[in-house]
Amino acid sequence: MVATANETEIGQISRSLDSQTDLSTPLSRKFAKFSHTLLYIILALAALTLAVGVGQGQSLAGMFEAAVALAVSAIPEGLPAVVTVTLAIGVNRMARQHAIVRKLPAVETLGGATVICSDKTGTLTENQMTVQEIYAGGQCYQVSGIGYSPVGEITSAGDAAQIGADLQDCLIAGLACNDSHLEEDHNRWLVIGDPTEGALIAAANKADFYPALIAQSFPRIDSIPFESEFQYMATLHDTSDQAHVIYVKGSVEAILTRCSINQNEVKQQVERMAEEGLRVLAFAKKTVPQSQQTIDHDDIETGLIFLGLQGMIDPPRTEAIAAVHSCQSAGIQVKMITGDHVTTAKAIAQRIGLQRAGQANAYDGQQLAQMNDAELSQAVAESVVFARVAPAQKLRLVEALQSRGEIVAMTGDGVNDAPALRKADIGIAMAGAGTDVAREAADMLLTDDNFASIEAAVEEGRTVYQNLRKAIAFILPVNGGESMTILISALFARDLPILSLQVLWLNMVNSIAMTVPLAFEPKSDGVMQRSPRNPREPLLSRSLIYRILAISVFNWILIFGMFEWVRQSTGDLPLARTMAIQALVAGRIVYLLSISQLGIALINKLRGRKTVPFKDIRAIIFGIVGATTLQIIFSQWGVMNALFGTAPLNLNQWLICLLPALPMIPTALLVNQIDRFD
């Protein structure tokens, strides 16, 4: 017993998780700020309306109704529902891309990511390790074959190699110090356990050494499992002689420091293999008395006999190379974090295309440990590769990137990765190889452990945010036009062009019918060609505010103008209000077409160009048809007339309601130049 409770490794991880409070997402922070600001503005305007009206001698009851109508018209009641639906649709689309989102706001957060920190093995690479080269007894051997199949041979200088004692010891060490096994399934060899250990078994099989034979000849007595802190694994075996033997495998740095050997020669071989993109493991053994039945870390601190090296390659995923390029085109930095040797990591990074200014700059864990926070912040900005990184150092990397204002997505699968996953803006755990602790700490799970799925999820996240902007740009101008109409009418003691109950109908029924379909909008062609949006940009950017103000003024003119014209022409208030509302809805339909891909598809169709498939934009068509149907019921059904104070319209009146919507076309084209969605 060396520690208990919080002093154990698991306890320290638990304390670290407890100290990492769940960070609010950029979207939730922006909506919170927007909601508070909008609330204060609405309360101020409602109070102003009440005070001015009463001060002008109007009745308190009448001005209170006007203030309520103003508040109802200004509050975008349908926006929370639309946001939730949009995020939920994003979750569904991401699930089809092998990315399962555990926390709804993470959909948009991933779309705003500026840096993706990814594991190498299995995420950027195939996770199909194959031993290609062995160095033992001062001689180099080549190993043919692909994957975990035993088909292949070991050669030296192009000829079949003689399996001498040195090579034999190196291969046996790889078999003995191993907790995995291979299985054949429908003529395909699979590893049950760690892919690296599977590669060692396959290499030994090519020299006719098999796990069952080793288990029988050298039965295991005790072992030290691999730990990232020590970077090695050790096993104790009974050799049926007067002594037992300890086999050790691990990183070159961890093994060589425990061996009495000329390290320069070995390190030259390691560098040569690493430059070829090979992951290099070192092997050693030690003889101990037959009476020893257990092993501890102290038993292998010194006196190890170096056996050799095995270099294996895990080729990059073809789709990961394309995904990395797509992220870079989108202005997203991709950084590789791996436990491999720094030279190996750099070679793989260059093959994948992970470069900054033409260089795959790299730091290893020892260098990171010696840096203060300022130095680390500079290092994460300059480097794209972090090798021999301990899981605890991932947390420092996340904090350093966030200190520079980056939105960080971090991948991980181990228990020790959990604090970094929790701290990151978007934690991504591996559903296949990940631990339960990592999955619980993450915001998103990858079912195929593939970097290409992260890129696809980022694309969906950007589409979600774009659709959210469209929804805001569609809802708020209507609220703006309605509130301006009510405010000006109340201040000048005129009849309200639109009643509070009618406002609720527009905001809760008509708005949602036409806004929710925007959540189904497909991604635009250039969604991954733009740089990430500024994380500090408010929910309502300057260009979006200009758009909202312009359309709000147009809607106010439309409502007020139609109401006053009909009222003065007929003296019928219900009819004037009904026609003002129907004219507003007609203008909204034109505006909806201008911001949706349906409008773009119609223009491209007229020009004979390629259009978006109908199935991708049919939601907007259904929304327009549904809203139009509801508006016909709103004015033509007697029950609705009684409930909402509306009046039925004849054909001429319907046509008159459509005419004022036509000026919306040039207005929409103008604001689309000011605030673009593509």
Side-chain angles (χ1 to χ4, degrees):
M1 181 75 69
V2 294
T4 60
N6 284 339
E7 299 306 316
T8 63
E9 289 294 325
I10 297 297
Q12 292 178 18
I13 294 172
S14 178
R15 280 193 300 174
S16 179
L17 285 173
D18 290 339
S19 67
Q20 303 299 331
T21 57
D22 285 330
L23 293 176
S24 59
T25 67
L27 181 64
S28 61
R29 292 194 295 268
K30 290 175 182 178
F31 263 110
K33 185 176 180 180
F34 167 72
S35 300
H36 291 151
T37 303
L38 184 62
L39 175 63
Y40 297 144
I41 293 174
I42 292 172
L43 290 177
L45 290 176
L48 175 65
T49 302
L50 182 64
V52 172
V54 173
Q56 291 176 343
Q58 299 183 53
S59 68
L60 178 62
M63 292 313 302
F64 181 76
E65 181 181 355
V68 170
L70 174 64
V72 170
S73 65
I75 296 174
E77 295 92 343
L79 187 57
V82 171
V83 170
T84 302
V85 170
T86 304
L87 293 176
I89 291 170
V91 168
N92 183 54
R93 288 177 173 176
M94 286 185 180
R96 284 186 242 139
Q97 302 286 352
H98 308 287
I100 299 175
V101 177
R102 297 182 63 247
K103 301 173 184 178
L104 203 59
V107 176
E108 180 275 335
T109 306
L110 186 60
T114 59
V115 179
I116 300 176
C117 297
S118 174
D119 288 329
K120 178 183 74 67
T121 304
T123 306
L124 291 168
T125 59
E126 294 282 1
N127 205 19
Q128 289 275 338
M129 304 295 290
T130 304
V131 174
Q132 291 193 335
E133 191 166 340
I134 300 174
Y135 173 78
Q139 188 171 351
C140 293
Y141 301 90
Q142 289 71 45
V143 184
S144 63
I146 299 175
Y148 304 118
S149 169
V151 177
E153 61 178 348
I154 300 176
T155 60
S156 177
D159 299 322
Q162 297 294 321
I163 310 300
D166 294 327
L167 179 57
Q168 177 177 314
D169 275 347
C170 187
L171 292 171
I172 289 177
L175 278 180
C177 197
N178 199 309
D179 286 331
S180 302
H181 65 278
L182 301 179
E183 289 184 357
E184 188 176 12
D185 181 26
H186 297 90
N187 297 321
R188 182 186 177 193
W189 287 88
L190 305 174
V191 59
I192 309 301
D194 183 75
T196 299
E197 293 185 336
L200 299 177
I201 297 172
N205 289 349
K206 294 169 186 177
D208 294 328
F209 294 112
Y210 298 96
L213 177 63
I214 299 302
Q216 181 179 0
S217 303
F218 305 102
R220 183 186 295 188
I221 302 172
D222 195 17
S223 66
I224 300 176
F226 177 85
E227 295 181 40
S228 57
E229 178 183 354
F230 299 100
Q231 297 186 352
Y232 61 73
M233 173 184 177
T235 52
L236 174 65
H237 297 266
D238 183 358
T239 62
S240 301
D241 294 331
Q242 294 183 350
H244 290 166
V245 63
I246 298 174
Y247 285 110
V248 187
K249 82 168 189 294
S251 70
V252 175
E253 297 87 344
I255 302 300
L256 289 186
T257 56
R258 293 167 168 81
C259 299
S260 299
I261 188 176
N262 180 4
Q263 296 190 15
N264 290 333
E265 181 180 351
V266 176
K267 288 181 177 179
Q268 288 178 2
Q269 294 295 329
V270 172
E271 285 294 325
R272 181 183 58 78
M273 291 185 186
E275 287 173 357
E276 297 174 2
L278 300 180
R279 181 183 182 186
V280 184
L281 287 181
F283 300 84
K285 70 178 181 178
K286 182 179 181 180
T287 302
V288 295
Q290 193 174 24
S291 59
Q292 183 169 338
Q293 298 296 310
T294 61
I295 55 172
D296 198 358
H297 294 289
D298 292 338
D299 296 322
I300 54 176
E301 278 300 309
T302 58
L304 295 185
I305 300 172
F306 179 75
L307 298 179
L309 308 169
Q310 293 196 44
M312 59 194 72
I313 192 166
D314 184 11
R317 293 178 183 261
T318 303
E319 64 272 26
I321 296 174
V324 167
H325 177 72
S326 179
C327 287
Q328 291 171 336
S329 298
I332 303 172
Q333 302 176 53
V334 180
K335 299 183 184 294
M336 176 198 294
I337 299 177
T338 178
D340 283 352
H341 188 276
V342 64
T343 307
T344 301
K346 288 179 65 175
I348 294 295
Q350 289 174 338
R351 293 178 62 177
I352 293 175
L354 283 179
Q355 297 179 357
R356 186 180 180 86
Q359 298 292 326
N361 298 325
Y363 289 95
D364 61 28
Q366 292 182 349
Q367 292 173 309
L368 297 179
Q370 296 171 1
M371 295 179 183
N372 58 35
D373 291 344
E375 292 171 337
L376 183 62
S377 178
Q378 186 64 31
V380 296
E382 298 173 348
S383 180
V384 295
V385 176
F386 300 93
R388 290 285 193 253
V389 173
Q393 291 177 318
K394 284 188 173 183
L395 179 58
R396 286 195 69 202
L397 292 174
V398 171
E399 292 172 337
L401 287 165
Q402 289 177 334
S403 70
R404 301 182 65 88
E406 307 287 0
I407 302 298
V408 183
M410 169 68 76
T411 68
D413 53 17
V415 173
N416 290 340
D417 293 334
L421 294 176
R422 177 70 63 84
K423 179 68 175 177
D425 296 283
I426 176 79
I428 305 172
M430 306 301 152
T435 61
D436 289 340
V437 176
R439 288 195 287 265
E440 185 64 27
D443 303 295
M444 190 178 84
L445 307 179
L446 287 186
T447 58
D448 61 352
D449 299 358
N450 191 340
F451 183 85
S453 297
I454 300 178
E455 184 272 335
V458 169
E459 192 170 355
E460 290 295 345
R462 288 191 169 194
T463 301
V464 164
Y465 188 78
Q466 180 173 287
N467 291 346
L468 282 176
R469 284 191 79 246
K470 288 181 179 180
I472 293 170
F474 183 71
I475 287 180
L476 292 188
V478 175
N479 295 94
E482 293 168 350
S483 56
M484 288 173 64
T485 301
I486 294 173
L487 176 62
I488 294 173
S489 299
L491 293 179
F492 287 93
R494 303 183 69 88
D495 292 323
L496 294 180
I498 184 168
L499 301 177
S500 55
L501 198 59
Q502 295 169 344
V503 170
L504 278 176
W505 167 269
L506 285 173
N507 290 356
M508 295 298 294
V509 179
N510 186 273
S511 287
I512 292 179
M514 286 197 284
T515 308
V516 168
L518 287 171
F520 294 87
E521 284 275 273
K523 60 179 178 287
S524 60
D525 294 336
V527 70
M528 290 298 284
Q529 302 300 319
R530 298 188 297 271
S531 298
R533 63 183 180 275
N534 187 346
R536 299 180 181 85
E537 180 184 90
L539 185 64
L540 299 184
S541 63
R542 180 176 298 181
S543 61
L544 184 55
I545 290 175
Y546 290 156
R547 168 188 285 273
I548 292 171
L549 288 175
I551 301 300
S552 295
V553 170
F554 181 90
N555 287 335
W556 166 66
I557 295 173
L558 188 61
I559 297 171
F560 200 81
M562 179 62 74
F563 172 78
E564 285 296 323
W565 181 74
V566 176
R567 186 180 70 85
Q568 293 180 16
S569 300
T570 66
D572 189 340
L573 279 178
L575 178 63
R577 287 172 176 147
T578 303
M579 293 185 68
I581 291 172
Q582 301 296 30
L584 173 65
V585 172
R588 295 186 73 188
I589 292 174
V590 174
Y591 179 55
L592 178 63
L593 290 174
S594 74
I595 64 174
S596 70
Q597 295 204 36
L598 174 59
I600 298 174
L602 292 175
I603 294 174
N604 288 339
K605 188 73 173 178
L606 293 174
R607 294 179 176 178
R609 297 178 181 176
K610 182 180 179 181
T611 63
V612 180
F614 170 78
K615 63 182 181 64
D616 293 337
I617 55 175
R618 58 188 174 186
I620 294 291
I621 298 175
F622 294 153
I624 293 174
V625 172
T628 303
T629 303
L630 288 171
Q631 287 308 119
I632 293 173
I633 295 172
F634 178 71
S635 64
Q636 304 304 114
W637 189 21
V639 174
M640 301 296 282
N641 297 153
L643 285 174
F644 292 96
T646 57
L649 307 181
N650 58 38
L651 181 60
N652 289 334
Q653 290 167 339
W654 275 108
L655 293 175
I656 291 172
C657 291
L658 297 178
L659 290 176
L662 296 179
M664 175 62 84
I665 298 175
T667 305
L669 293 175
L670 176 63
V671 295
N672 281 348
Q673 296 301 315
I674 299 173
D675 180 60
R676 303 182 65 88
F677 289 111
D678 54 6

